[in-house]
Amino acid sequence: MKIGIDSIAFATSGYFLSLETLAKYRNVDFAKYCAGIGQMKMSIFPPNEDVVTVAVEAARKAISGIEDKNNVDMLIFATESSFDLSKSAGIYVHHFLKLKENCRVFDLKQACYSATAALRLAKSYVRENPDSKVLVIGSDVVKYSPRTSGEPTQGGAAVAFVVAKDPRILEIEPWAGIHTTDIMDFWRPSHLEEALFDGKLSAQNYLKSMHISVARYLEKSNIAISDVNHVCFHAPFCKMAQKANSQLFRLKSIGETLIYNSVIGNSCSASLYICFVSLLDHIKDDLTGKRIGFFSYGSGSVAEFFSGIVTKNYRQMLDTQNNQKMLTDRVEISFQEYESLGNRENLDFHSYKNVGEVAMFGINNHQRMYKVRKTY
Ligand code: COA
């Protein structure tokens, strides 16, 4: 049975900070950010947007592509930046999308890797339940403390995809190369909103894990690396993906995979799959029948390399113009506003636009309150 990605969409907040602005105020050469790190802009989340609101928007678009949403009987929400250690963020999405009650909903966590774990779980589930569809969401908002080296690599977005039999975009192949190791390269204790990290260690471990995962994948699959036509790499910042590519493929460009991430910033669990949407939206060649490799990395760390074959007529499932418009329609914020939005005491839920239909409008008794609000 062919199983894979049947529809896919992403969403991010309606605001961004230009890294040129950040460079100016941090007294850093902008070339370091654009050429050295590979980032141009980063999405900034106002108080009324969080991992749930952008997830609802991404998921709304992803399920609009399927015939009957009553076939969705599992929703997996992958995130490392949820606000509740008990209740699943996925339950809010389930509510706003009006999915049926007879549907399993749960969150998964393993840094930026968890959407890949969700994809593998979804695939096994569909194999056992061929008429079922599984909605996988990866949604993260990435914050580092001001003036740390991580500051220009913040961002956030959600990706949502439906896993089903006879997929209309990508058939996932059976093989995967996996590498898990206990390392402190990036972590966020539950009392902190900003992540802590050892950037150099993380980059070294990312590359080492990639080589091991790819070698295991090639051994299992008996596929030559030259048989992989394109690769999407997890992109905590775009230069990381480019470095990985230069060690793996050398001559092949991955420029098309990074167009969206270079202006969104790090979106952790969503990042790899936004690379995939970016490739589909921007590559000129017909990808039908092409093998796409995916390198997923989550600090801590778990890494996985796997592949999929692009299906015929995948182009009919793309929403390229709207994806591009969503990013160009974002509002640029000033440095002063960026600082004000970074202040945890800022609870101005009403002055900012929301990208989708759902916005947060307050916190009461430690409960986030959301409402359906018209997009403007
Ligand atoms: N013009 C062009 N390039 C410049 C430059 C300039 N003026 N100044 C510096 N650079 C280059 C450096 O040579 C370096 O390139 P290299 O990596 O190829 O050597 C790059 O810019 C970054 O410079 P560096 O001094 O290493 O930056 P930094 O100490 O500020 O750290 C990150 C940058 C990306 C490592 C840091 O932002 C980070 O750790 N972010 C968090 C990422 C992470 O860990 N995510 C989780 C893992 S998945």
Side-chain angles (χ1 to χ4, degrees), residues 17 19 28 149 186 272 289 306 344 365:
L17 179 72
L19 290 195
V28 170
S149 65
F186 177 103
L272 173 66
F306 65 97
R344 221 168 286 177
N365 192 21

Side-chain angles (χ1 to χ4, degrees), residues 28-39 80 111-112 142 144 148-154 185-187 195-203 206 234-237 239-240 243 266 268 297-300:
V28 170
D29 183 357
F30 174 52
K32 173 174 174 180
Y33 293 164
C34 64
I37 294 177
Q39 294 299 136
E80 63 170 284
C112 306
V142 181
Y144 297 109
T148 60
S149 65
E151 189 178 27
T153 60
Q154 299 175 103
D185 59 333
F186 177 103
W187 63 105
L196 304 172
F197 59 96
D198 180 339
K200 306 287 178 226
L201 181 66
S202 194
Y206 176 116
H234 167 52
F237 50 97
K239 194 64 181 288
M240 186 70 247
K243 276 189 188 173
N266 191 0
C268 281
Y297 175 79
S299 294

Side-chain angles (χ1 to χ4, degrees), residues 84 92 362-369:
D84 195 314
Y92 298 97
I363 300 176
N364 187 18
N365 192 21
H366 303 281
Q367 298 171 26
R368 290 194 178 203
M369 295 181 296

